[in-house]
């Protein structure tokens, strides 16, 4: 605990703990690793105190021996809290019995099953039988907006979703209608739940009452494999879990990071994994527009580069390229270096400061740190027209392609020696260039620097399709042809070289230390250290409403043998 924060001693079940001044019993218990079940409380929302699930027995002070809700009882010096006596357990059982009275037992077909707080708490704290014999109430099932489906029978009216729309999105679409067992959540007529963060209401819902329509009846959650990564949709760099089944991305959900995205992400970011399946994706290597094997393409590209002076190699890349890719391109080529950016898009600032950036380039800040202030290809065009360039390497890692200057496109189409690494089957792959398919950001490892100067790692969640290789492999193999880049290593190995070559920007930073929550680089606008960027309010391991970032587990590195006869280490090491 930081020295600046006043600490208070208190007791849970006879054990002494430290709370921060002003903390509730629930917050202090969770931060100290003592789990108290809760539904309506969420660290990013105001206290509602309506679910009563967090009842504990306060054993000291004026409220002694009365069950109190832990989320709205604040720690005082010497407070004694009983979380596990028969009295507390009986109070929890009673609350669960009421919550389950009208709740359908449709877990087998509910998409929340497996990450449902009601299901888990029933298992942990509930009674195995119910005294309720009356007919359960029926409430509506409807789409509240384009992304969110409401199943009223499952709603426990915790109001997390209502408070999120009021207090975070600031759009206020949701409200509680009616009273008592007839109350549920609804939108105001004519005002659908369509704010840019609407998917967060499904993340927050502790039961299966709000579901993301993109995810409904897709995969059982216990079959998913989550990979801790970063969204490539804009320069905010939200921390996400890329959830996959059978080597296919099924959904992308936010991970808590207080230095970046709090607990949230935008709806657009949830959709971006689909660009990896785009019909326009380049899936095979090509030479002169005809498909060839990866080995043949590499041989041809190496031939083009053999013996060429570095100064006569020009480069075009984008604000989607990783720091490691930019570094290798910079090592490979010594001629003009142009960077194309995606045009500005929609921005949105939530009331708690979370921001969807208008800058849709996840690594604009990384470009500046590694390359300074490159232009968007003007110098390259001049050099091409002056006949000063022998080979151009075009690396377009942007899903959907980049809007290059038409004059530059025309010049490249006429150029004799172009090596393209392209995400999409654009004019580049159809021209006489030697073309390699580029990996989608869900298929490769690397780092981006977000708009606040925080370096973060994204990770391969699925295998590469077809003949696609990580750009790091292709660039290092091309580097061998020129002698500019030594042997093939992992993204972590390339980052180590980058940090050594650019000590002012990356010095002292190691790939491992970047970890799952990132690190502020020197001069970053937000210097929040890694240990502070998650609040440690771990929900149960079943819940995704507060996916904890702290449970760092080192995934074994996967060694993928490529048809080119070399391997690159992918994964967290
Ligand atoms: S829909 Fe979900 S989040 Fe909203 S009030 Fe009901 S249970 Fe709570
Ligand atoms: S705000 Fe940006 S980084 Fe975050 S989810 Fe949306 S597009 Fe992705
Ligand atoms: S979490 Fe405390 S009353 Fe709901």
């Amino acid at each position: 605990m930081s020295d600046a924060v006043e600490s208070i001693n208190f007791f849970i079940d006879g054990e002494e703990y430290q709370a921060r001044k002003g903390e509730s019993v629930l917050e202090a218990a969770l931060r100290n690793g003592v789990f108290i079940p809760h539904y309506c409380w969420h660290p990013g929302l105001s206290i509602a105190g309506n679910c009563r699930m967090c009842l504990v027995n306060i054993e000291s002070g004026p409220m002694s021996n009365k069950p109190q809700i832990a989320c709205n009882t604040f720690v005082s010096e010497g407070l004694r809290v009983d979380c596990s006596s028969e009295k507390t357990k009986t109070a929890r059982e009673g609350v669960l019995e009421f919550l389950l009275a009208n709740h359908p037992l449709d877990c087998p077909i509910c998409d929340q099953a497996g990450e449902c707080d009601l299901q888990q708490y029933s298992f942990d704290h509930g009674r195995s039988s119910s005294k309720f014999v009356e007919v359960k109430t029926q409430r509506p099932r409807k789409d509240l907006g384009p992304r969110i489906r409401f199943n009223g029978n499952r709603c426990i009216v915790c109001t997390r979703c209502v408070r999120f729309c009021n207090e975070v999105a600031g759009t206020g679409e949701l409200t509680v209608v009616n009273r008592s067992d007839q109350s549920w959540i609804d939108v105001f007529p004519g005002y659908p739940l369509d704010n840019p963060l609407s998917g967060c209401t499904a993340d927050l819902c502790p039961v299966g009452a709000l579901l993301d329509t993109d995810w409904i009846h897709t995969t059982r959650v216990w079959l998913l494999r989550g990979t801790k990564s970063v969204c490539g949709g804009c320069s905010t760099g939200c921390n996400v879990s890329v959830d996959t089944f059978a080597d296919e991305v099924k959904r992308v959900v936010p991970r808590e990071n207080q230095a970046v995205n709090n607990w949230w992400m935008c709806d657009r970011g949830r959709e971006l994994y689909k660009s990896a399946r785009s019909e326009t994706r380049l899936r095979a290597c090509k030479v002169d527009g005809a498909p060839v094997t990866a080995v043949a393409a590499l041989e041809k590209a190496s031939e083009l580069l053999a013996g060429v002076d570095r100064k006569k190699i020009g480069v075009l890349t984008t604000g989607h390229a990783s720091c490691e890719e930019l570094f290798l391109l910079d090592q490979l080529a010594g001629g003009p270096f142009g960077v194309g950016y995606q045009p500005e898009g929609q921005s949105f600032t939530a009331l708690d400061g979370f921001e969807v950036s208008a800058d849709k380039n996840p690594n604009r800040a990384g470009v500046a740190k590694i390359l300074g202030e490159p232009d968007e290809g003007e110098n390259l065009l001049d050099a091409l027209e002056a006949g000063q360039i022998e080979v151009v390497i075009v690396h377009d890692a942007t899903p959907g392609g980049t809007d290059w200057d038409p004059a530059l496109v025309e010049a490249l189409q006429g150029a004799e020696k172009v090596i393209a690494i392209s995400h999409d089957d654009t004019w580049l792959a159809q021209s006489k260039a030697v073309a390699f398919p580029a990996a989608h950001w869900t298929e490769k490892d690397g780092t981006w620097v977000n708009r606040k100067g925080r370096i973060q790692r994204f990770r391969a969640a699925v295998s590469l399709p077809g003949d696609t290789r990580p750009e790091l492999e292709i660039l290092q193999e091309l580097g061998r042809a020129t002698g500019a880049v030594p042997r093939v290593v992992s993204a972590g190995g390339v980052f180590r070289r980058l940090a050594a070559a650019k000590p002012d920007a990356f010095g002292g930073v190691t790939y491992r230390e970047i970890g799952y929550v990132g690190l502020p680089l020197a001069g970053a606008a937000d210097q929040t250290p890694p240990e502070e960027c998650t609040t440690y309010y771990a929900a149960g391991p079943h819940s995704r409403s507060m996916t904890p970032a702290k449970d760092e587990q080192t995934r074994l590195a996967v060694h993928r043998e490529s048809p080119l006869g070399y391997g690159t280490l992918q994964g967290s090491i």
Side-chain angles (χ1 to χ4, degrees):
M1 187 181 296
S2 145
D3 293 343
V5 180
E6 195 180 323
S7 95
I8 301 170
N9 297 323
F10 77 117
F11 298 86
I12 300 176
D13 295 336
E15 288 277 324
E16 187 169 5
Y17 294 97
Q18 272 78 50
R20 293 170 179 167
K21 191 168 183 223
E23 256 183 340
S24 68
V25 170
L26 179 58
E27 286 174 290
L30 293 178
R31 203 172 40 71
N32 280 291
V34 179
F35 189 73
I36 297 175
H38 53 276
Y39 289 118
C40 67
W41 180 82
H42 186 282
L45 303 174
S46 62
I47 297 170
N50 60 24
C51 75
R52 321 309 283 180
M53 191 64 225
C54 63
L55 282 175
V56 290
N57 195 30
I58 302 294
E59 297 178 309
S60 60
M63 298 182 291
S64 69
N65 276 325
K66 288 197 180 66
Q68 301 288 335
I69 50 172
C71 66
N72 204 19
T73 301
F74 292 84
V75 179
S76 54
E77 186 65 40
L79 188 80
R80 302 192 86 87
V81 182
D82 143 38
C83 284
S84 56
S85 70
E86 276 311 309
K87 188 172 178 179
T88 305
K89 284 182 187 165
T90 308
R92 280 178 194 160
E93 281 178 7
V95 170
L96 268 175
E97 191 173 1
F98 274 117
L99 288 172
L100 281 169
N102 278 310
H103 193 90
L105 296 178
D106 61 352
C107 304
I109 49 101
C110 178
D111 283 284
Q112 190 85 353
E115 54 185 3
C116 172
D117 291 345
L118 187 58
Q119 199 178 48
Q120 189 64 32
Y121 295 168
S122 300
F123 180 78
D124 290 340
H125 310 284
R127 292 190 178 128
S128 56
S129 61
S130 169
K131 300 194 284 280
F132 193 78
V133 292
E134 290 77 10
V135 176
K136 291 179 189 261
T137 55
Q138 292 297 313
R139 301 186 225 165
R141 187 184 304 192
K142 61 189 280 193
D143 284 348
L144 297 177
R147 189 162 198 112
I148 298 298
R149 184 160 302 162
F150 177 59
N151 187 322
N153 289 341
R154 297 178 188 153
C155 177
I156 58 167
V157 204
C158 71
T159 70
R160 274 187 179 186
C161 55
V162 178
R163 282 175 285 144
F164 175 81
C165 291
N166 290 342
E167 298 166 9
V168 180
T171 44
E173 297 100 331
L174 293 179
T175 189
V176 181
V177 295
N178 303 331
R179 288 185 159 205
S180 184
D181 66 348
Q182 290 301 313
S183 59
W184 58 77
I185 303 307
D186 210 340
V187 287
F188 294 95
Y191 291 91
L193 176 58
D194 61 357
N195 70 65
L197 313 183
S198 72
C200 296
T201 59
D203 299 330
L204 282 168
C205 183
V207 294
L210 294 182
L211 296 169
D212 191 322
T213 49
D214 189 47
W215 158 250
I216 287 174
H217 300 329
T218 307
T219 312
R220 306 312 327 227
V221 295
W222 50 86
L223 299 175
L224 293 174
R225 174 182 180 272
T227 299
K228 294 184 175 80
S229 193
V230 173
C231 174
C234 77
S235 62
T236 296
C238 291
N239 288 212
V240 296
S241 173
V242 179
D243 291 349
T244 61
F245 172 62
D247 210 20
E248 202 177 294
V249 181
K250 296 294 181 185
R251 67 176 187 183
V252 177
V253 291
R255 276 190 300 126
E256 179 190 349
N257 187 335
Q258 293 302 305
V260 181
N261 55 306
N262 303 338
W263 299 265
W264 326 124
M265 71 182 292
C266 77
D267 290 357
R268 176 176 166 270
R270 290 174 199 268
E271 295 282 326
L272 293 175
Y273 72 90
K274 294 178 184 170
S275 54
R277 301 177 197 160
S278 152
E279 301 237 314
T280 58
R281 181 112 189 244
L282 180 62
R283 287 170 194 279
C285 300
K286 289 185 177 178
V287 172
D288 292 335
V292 296
T293 64
V295 174
L298 192 66
E299 275 173 5
K300 178 73 181 167
S302 301
E303 252 174 51
L304 296 186
L305 284 168
V308 176
D309 182 348
R310 268 186 78 238
K311 290 203 172 63
K312 297 199 166 191
I313 304 174
V315 171
L316 266 186
T317 184
T318 75
H320 279 251
S322 70
C323 292
E324 295 72 25
E325 290 159 4
L326 292 169
F327 175 63
L328 288 183
L329 283 164
D330 195 30
Q331 282 202 313
L332 199 55
F337 212 114
V339 181
Y341 295 104
Q342 268 194 291
E344 289 215 337
Q346 187 191 36
S347 65
F348 183 84
T349 305
L351 298 181
D352 69 347
F354 169 63
E355 194 175 326
V356 180
S357 174
D359 178 5
K360 301 305 173 194
N361 302 279
N363 202 27
R364 190 188 288 263
V367 169
K369 290 205 176 284
I370 295 163
L371 303 171
E373 295 292 334
D375 63 33
E376 294 199 28
E378 292 84 353
N379 283 340
L380 178 64
L381 178 59
D382 291 347
L384 276 169
E385 286 174 349
Q388 295 162 347
I389 297 296
E390 277 193 46
V391 183
V392 184
I393 300 172
V394 185
H395 173 228
D396 192 349
T398 310
T402 305
D403 290 334
W404 304 107
D405 174 358
L408 188 57
V409 171
E410 201 179 318
L412 287 169
Q413 280 172 326
E416 284 302 314
K417 295 181 178 177
V418 176
I419 299 168
I421 307 171
S422 179
H423 187 275
D424 284 84
D425 199 357
T426 57
W427 55 271
L428 265 174
Q430 290 147 20
S431 70
K432 53 190 164 186
V434 179
F436 297 89
H440 190 266
W441 56 268
T442 54
E443 300 161 352
K444 63 183 177 182
D445 292 343
T447 59
W448 287 318
V449 182
N450 80 356
R451 67 188 156 80
K452 290 185 179 169
R454 191 174 195 88
I455 188 163
Q456 305 194 94
R457 282 172 61 179
F458 56 93
R459 293 172 172 80
V462 285
S463 304
L464 293 149
D467 254 352
T468 312
R469 301 288 121 213
E471 286 95 309
L472 291 187
E473 284 186 8
I474 300 167
L475 292 172
Q476 290 180 91
E477 284 300 311
L478 295 182
R480 282 193 199 181
T482 62
V485 183
R487 67 190 175 82
V488 175
V489 295
S490 66
V494 179
F495 182 81
R496 193 164 51 243
R497 288 181 195 155
L498 165 64
K502 306 268 177 191
D504 289 350
F506 300 96
V509 176
T510 68
Y511 203 59
R512 181 183 280 275
E513 279 168 357
I514 297 169
Y516 293 105
V517 290
L519 277 178
L521 293 176
D526 182 349
Q527 286 292 327
T528 310
E531 61 271 20
E532 292 293 332
C533 72
T534 166
T535 51
Y536 307 97
Y537 289 125
H542 53 278
S543 177
R544 79 182 151 100
S545 60
M546 282 182 278
T547 315
K550 193 61 187 166
D551 60 336
E552 296 203 5
Q553 287 170 349
T554 305
R555 187 156 57 89
L556 279 182
V558 181
H559 187 262
R560 295 167 196 227
E561 281 301 328
S562 87
L564 300 177
Y566 56 80
T568 288
L569 289 171
Q570 295 250 46
S572 306
I573 50 172

